Amino acid sequence: MKKYVMDMKVVENLRLHPMYCLLKLTADKKLPEMIPGQFVQVRVDGSPQTFLRRPISINYIDKEANELWLLIQIVGEGTKRMAEYQPGDTMNIILPLGNGFSIPQLPVDSKLLLVGGGVGTAPMLYLGDTLKSLGFEPAFLLGARSKDDIMQLNEFEKTGEVYITTEDGSMGEKGFVTHHSILAEKKIEQIYTCGPKPMMVAVAKYAKAMNISCYVSLENMMACGIGACLCCIENTVKGNVCVCTEGPVFNINQLTWQI
């Protein structure tokens, strides 16, 4: 898929949480086609300590408004600076990068479960919207530490059924996503997941034990985003690969996790 370097203008910056913001960006020309699960590389201007671009998952594409949404978790100088951008500011972005989620070759009444934890919920929104546009009825299972850490709940509820776990029990069922009762109550035919690696490993173990097809979106440390720096290497059944070019989405059968 062709890559583009684009100057994009900030339309809106919504602070969803002390540690999260949602940037809505637009461009002078029509945005290129982007697949759920792909990511972008953002040049961070105005941050002298930030030399490398920052990889950010594609959260949503509003085709009518010609907008790209990026959910930013504020964890360092680069993302802190990004969270300060205001409407009218320009961001230089390389997009789209990586390989995204595969559309299931299943009947549209198949039970699809999209599992997200923390900022890993970000790519699930665009994936869910895409699946819905194709006639599927995706369900979401979102995990967080507490109710205050559940991001974009209203957006997810527009797209499908939403199930929640929180570690403190302040919303949904108490525990981790793999503890949620939906896993025992519904016959699930395909799982997509993104989030902290321990969560994805647990989801993958469940999927393999239940013989369910499962795709994970890895969040390995990245620098270049084009396979040159070798920062994001992941061991697979075919050897070491760059997550930024061969992923970030993998079928769990491609990985060497102990599952």
Side-chain angles (χ1 to χ4, degrees):
M1 183 175 285
K2 186 176 179 180
K3 302 174 181 61
Y4 300 82
V5 181
M6 301 180 68
D7 283 330
M8 302 192 68
K9 194 163 289 185
V10 178
V11 176
E12 194 170 12
N13 182 347
L14 300 173
R15 183 57 69 96
L16 306 181
H17 179 280
M19 299 306 295
Y20 290 90
C21 73
L22 177 64
L23 289 175
K24 297 184 179 182
L25 312 172
T26 193
D28 292 335
K29 56 185 178 181
K30 184 179 178 181
L31 294 177
E33 188 68 26
M34 287 175 260
I35 299 170
Q38 290 185 304
F39 66 99
V40 304
Q41 287 277 100
V42 180
R43 190 181 73 200
V44 184
D45 298 325
S47 176
Q49 296 90 353
T50 309
F51 301 104
L52 300 173
R53 290 177 181 262
R54 291 293 181 263
I56 306 292
S57 296
I58 295 171
N59 175 227
Y60 184 69
I61 302 295
D62 186 333
K63 293 181 180 179
E64 289 188 9
N66 200 43
E67 288 181 356
L68 163 69
W69 295 11
L70 302 177
L71 181 64
I72 310 297
Q73 182 180 21
I74 304 165
V75 293
E77 287 299 320
T79 49
K80 180 180 178 182
R81 173 65 186 123
M82 291 169 64
E84 295 172 349
Y85 289 144
Q86 297 299 312
D89 288 343
T90 298
M91 298 172 64
N92 185 267
I93 294 178
I94 302 174
L95 79 172
L97 296 170
N99 294 308
F101 293 104
S102 299
I103 301 302
Q105 302 301 306
L106 296 169
V108 293
D109 60 351
S110 300
K111 303 301 182 185
L112 311 179
L113 184 64
L114 284 55
V115 185
V119 76
T121 61
M124 297 295 108
L125 183 61
Y126 184 35
L127 174 60
D129 182 74
T130 299
L131 292 171
K132 184 178 180 180
S133 72
L134 295 172
F136 293 95
E137 296 183 4
F140 301 95
L141 176 53
L142 310 178
R145 291 177 181 171
S146 74
K147 64 179 182 180
D148 295 330
D149 300 311
I150 299 290
M151 302 291 110
Q152 301 181 288
L153 180 56
N154 289 341
E155 297 295 336
F156 283 108
E157 289 176 336
K158 294 176 186 176
T159 307
E161 291 182 284
V162 179
Y163 304 88
I164 292 172
T165 64
T166 50
E167 294 177 29
D168 64 2
S170 55
M171 180 179 284
E173 297 185 13
K174 185 174 182 178
F176 302 118
V177 290
T178 47
H179 299 157
H180 199 286
S181 58
I182 186 181
L183 299 180
E185 293 172 358
K186 288 202 174 188
K187 183 180 184 301
I188 300 163
E189 287 149 303
Q190 189 148 306
I191 295 176
Y192 301 92
T193 186
C194 183
K197 187 171 181 178
M199 184 205 82
M200 291 194 291
V201 170
V203 172
K205 285 182 177 179
Y206 165 81
K208 189 158 190 179
M210 301 301 292
N211 197 30
I212 300 171
S213 175
C214 180
Y215 291 85
V216 299
S217 179
L218 303 188
E219 296 186 318
N220 295 30
M221 184 71 72
M222 296 181 190
C224 71
I226 56 173
C229 69
L230 307 182
C231 285
C232 61
I233 291 295
E234 180 74 22
N235 190 25
T236 73
V237 295
K238 294 184 178 180
N240 290 334
V241 300
C242 289
V243 169
C244 66
T245 55
E246 300 301 316
V249 176
F250 294 88
N251 186 296
I252 58 171
N253 294 327
Q254 296 175 269
L255 302 175
T256 58
W257 294 351
Q258 297 302 304
I259 55 177

